[in-house]
Amino acid sequence: MCVRFSFADKAIMQRGILRSCELFILAVLCVHTSLSPVTAQQPRQTREGIITSFAPLVEKVAPSVVTVSTTQTVSRGLTAYPFSDDTLRQFFGGRSPQRQGKQTLQGLGSGVIVSPDGYILTANHVVSGADEIMIGLGNDLRKFRAKKIGTDPGTDVALLKIDENNLPSMNFADSDKARAGDIVLAIGNPFGLRQTVTMGIISAVGRGGMGIVDYENFIQTDAAINMGNSGGALVDIEGRLLGINTAIFSRSGGNQGIGFAIPANLAREVMQSLRNKGRVVRGYIGTSVQTLTPEIVDAMKLKGQATGSLVGEVEPNAPAAKAGIKTGDVITAVNGKKVNDPRELRLMIGSMAPGTKAHMEINREGQTKTFDVQLGEMPPGAADEGTETSSEETGQREKTTVFGGVAVTTITEDIRSALNLPKDVQGAVIADIDAESPAAKSGLREGDVIQEVNKQPVKSAKDLLAISKKLKPNEKVLMRVYSQGRSGYVALEPK
């Protein structure tokens, strides 16, 4: 009986388990069926959580990316979009072949709607010099004439406006949080192919020193970018605007996996200034600065000072001069933030408002000093100016050879006029230089003016010769040189 009961109880339990399993399977099927429409709207993922589709994200942000069409009338022999360097190209879209007389050039780029009331960010070079700007919206490319609110060639940002409301705008990301390795999408109109999407990663942040614009702090990406992408959006995986695509590094003119975007934070600051004032207002200290090289560090006896921004020239009566900063100083920090190179200093000062006090740390001949500099306003397009001083010119050309392979002469009025030298620039001008000499390899060239040697002023060729005779063998020489409109330092070893 006991055994029988036992088997009977087991059978009842087995039937109960089977029925429970059937109910569980039915419930799972119902839940799965009810969830299917929901999960279809999310990015597809594998079992490991890897996203396999960005379609929902693209559908959300693509309407915010527009086409920017431009027309410009130029005379024969002029080109609207000069490529001065075949290696580093910016994107201006297609252009018509040149013809005699007047001709109309057409360009095609991209833009990003950043507010529902019609404000659009794009790259300055897309609309630079344009007589007419048209914006194309949506798949049907509804056309709107755009007004240029303002441009900033220093960052390659332009702000446009169309008369339309309730537009699909894109939100800004905090580009300071971008990291190498983050996934990004580039959206634009390469070669006129509307709203093309490519994917890649951020290859690097804080890229600069390429000479594309004055204020370089690019996000580098390997997402495919081509002609027509300029002004388009670089977005993160949350669909936020991370940057404005602006240029590529290419030896062929096409994408080679190295593209650059203006960070969203920088673009937003410029946009706000253009929108409120019609121009960008930047801080200004009035110095010419250069990179601190190991050779210069050695020549200036600045042991342990591997980074910083070397002051090559201080404009008279400028904020830096009034605060006490001198040529040869190395700016190492601004408001407690380390300065690694001139690019970083330019970005720091340029992002501060005129009238702001900047607390600067300086390395002066190995000693740390601090200065409070009240920033002025960056003069728009103004060149460096100096006060007039009397020049001790003999009127005779007297050549002498110093440093091996360098022939110099005293500046005369004819030389000053031919080289377009300011009246306050004194020194020994390089009349001839051996291309294989240490001086040439350090960057000196014909027409440069040597103003100082080891902090000793040079006013003529005779001064330079006298100083050179006192130099010790194998002693590194620190020279202050006027070249291409500004003064800077060069370090070399004499022969």
Side-chain angles (χ1 to χ4, degrees):
M1 294 247 342
C2 222
V3 173
R4 247 185 249 126
F5 175 80
S6 197
F7 275 106
D9 187 59
K10 184 175 180 182
I12 293 170
M13 290 177 62
Q14 285 177 338
R15 285 196 297 272
I17 291 172
L18 288 174
R19 189 170 298 149
S20 298
C21 287
E22 290 171 355
L23 291 173
F24 176 75
I25 293 170
L26 181 60
V28 169
L29 289 174
C30 290
V31 170
H32 179 73
T33 303
S34 63
L35 286 179
S36 294
V38 177
T39 56
Q41 300 302 317
Q42 305 300 321
R44 294 179 187 170
Q45 299 183 1
T46 63
R47 235 181 271 176
E48 293 78 17
I50 299 173
I51 297 174
T52 60
S53 176
F54 288 100
L57 186 151
V58 173
E59 290 169 0
K60 171 187 173 184
V61 300
S64 300
V65 180
V66 302
T67 60
V68 181
S69 306
T70 63
T71 57
Q72 179 182 8
T73 303
V74 298
S75 301
R76 182 178 180 273
L78 296 178
T79 56
Y81 316 121
F83 290 139
S84 57
D85 185 350
D86 288 336
T87 301
L88 192 59
R89 295 175 180 263
Q90 294 179 335
F91 313 118
F92 307 94
R95 57 177 179 176
S96 305
Q98 292 186 348
R99 299 183 296 274
Q100 292 184 349
K102 299 282 185 179
Q103 58 180 312
T104 299
L105 302 180
Q106 295 183 337
L108 184 64
S110 306
V112 184
I113 302 171
V114 289
S115 69
D117 56 346
Y119 283 95
I120 296 169
L121 274 178
T122 187
N124 172 64
H125 67 258
V126 171
V127 297
S128 178
D131 299 319
E132 183 182 66
I133 304 170
M134 298 297 294
I135 300 298
L137 299 181
N139 292 326
D140 56 348
L141 280 185
R142 289 172 291 144
K143 294 289 186 179
F144 295 87
R145 190 180 302 275
K147 176 183 177 183
K148 192 186 295 183
I149 300 299
T151 63
D152 182 39
T155 56
D156 196 30
V157 172
L159 181 63
L160 309 177
K161 176 73 167 65
I162 61 174
D163 292 330
E164 186 70 5
N165 292 305
N166 301 319
L167 296 174
S169 62
M170 195 178 298
N171 295 325
F172 285 87
D174 183 357
S175 57
D176 288 344
K177 295 181 179 179
R179 299 179 302 169
D182 288 349
I183 296 175
V184 289
L185 304 179
I187 307 176
N189 306 288
F191 306 109
L193 300 173
R194 300 197 301 271
Q195 294 185 331
T196 297
V197 182
T198 55
M199 186 189 77
I201 63 169
I202 294 176
S203 305
V205 295
R207 284 292 194 217
M210 293 168 290
I212 303 176
V213 291
D214 293 334
Y215 296 88
E216 295 182 342
N217 190 30
F218 296 126
I219 297 172
Q220 180 183 329
T221 178
D222 66 350
I225 297 174
N226 288 286
M227 284 189 175
N229 270 113
S230 266
L234 187 73
V235 303
D236 62 15
I237 59 172
E238 294 184 32
R240 300 173 302 182
L241 182 64
L242 193 62
I244 300 294
N245 299 321
T246 183
I248 61 170
F249 189 88
S250 174
R251 299 189 183 280
S252 63
N255 172 64
Q256 290 186 317
I258 302 178
F260 302 102
I262 304 158
N265 289 358
L266 178 59
R268 179 166 48 189
E269 289 177 5
V270 172
M271 176 191 73
Q272 291 170 345
S273 187
L274 292 175
R275 186 171 179 175
N276 296 332
K277 301 178 180 179
R279 61 190 178 91
V280 177
V281 178
R282 292 191 171 93
Y284 173 72
I285 60 174
T287 62
S288 171
V289 293
Q290 66 183 92
T291 301
L292 195 64
T293 64
E295 293 78 13
I296 291 177
V297 168
D298 195 8
M300 295 183 76
K301 298 179 174 59
L302 298 173
K303 293 182 179 180
Q305 186 63 57
T307 60
S309 190
L310 176 62
V311 178
E313 190 170 15
V314 179
E315 187 176 332
N317 299 319
K322 292 177 180 178
I325 294 176
K326 300 178 180 180
T327 59
D329 287 347
V330 180
I331 302 174
T332 59
V334 175
N335 293 337
K337 187 175 181 180
K338 183 179 179 182
V339 174
N340 289 302
D341 52 39
R343 181 187 66 86
E344 287 190 359
L345 177 65
R346 189 178 299 112
L347 287 167
M348 288 179 188
I349 300 301
S351 64
M352 299 170 70
T356 304
K357 280 192 176 181
H359 184 73
M360 295 191 176
E361 294 181 20
I362 303 291
N363 184 332
R364 179 176 290 174
E365 298 181 348
Q367 295 185 344
T368 300
K369 295 182 177 293
T370 59
F371 298 89
D372 287 325
V373 182
Q374 186 169 357
L375 304 185
E377 182 178 335
M378 173 71 74
D384 292 337
E385 296 179 358
T387 56
E388 292 187 11
T389 57
S390 60
S391 58
E392 299 179 6
E393 296 171 354
T394 63
Q396 288 184 319
R397 291 178 60 86
E398 183 176 352
K399 289 189 177 183
T400 182
T401 302
V402 295
F403 302 146
V406 180
V408 297
T409 183
T410 299
I411 298 174
T412 65
E413 285 298 336
D414 290 340
I415 292 175
R416 187 178 298 279
S417 178
L419 297 178
N420 195 27
L421 299 175
K423 291 183 179 180
D424 64 308
V425 172
Q426 300 181 53
V429 64
I430 298 176
D432 192 20
I433 187 167
D434 183 352
E436 297 301 319
S437 67
K441 291 179 179 179
S442 69
L444 294 179
R445 61 182 188 176
E446 292 181 12
D448 289 350
V449 180
I450 300 174
Q451 298 177 290
E452 290 181 7
V453 174
N454 289 348
K455 298 297 181 74
Q456 298 181 61
V458 173
K459 296 183 178 180
S460 66
K462 286 184 178 180
D463 288 349
L464 183 60
L465 179 59
I467 294 172
S468 67
K469 289 179 179 179
K470 298 177 183 179
L471 297 175
K472 298 177 182 179
N474 300 322
E475 178 185 357
K476 283 195 174 180
V477 179
L478 180 69
M479 296 190 298
R480 187 164 173 258
V481 179
Y482 182 88
S483 178
Q484 295 182 304
R486 61 181 58 190
S487 296
Y489 286 92
V490 175
L492 62 96
E493 293 183 4
K495 277 193 174 183

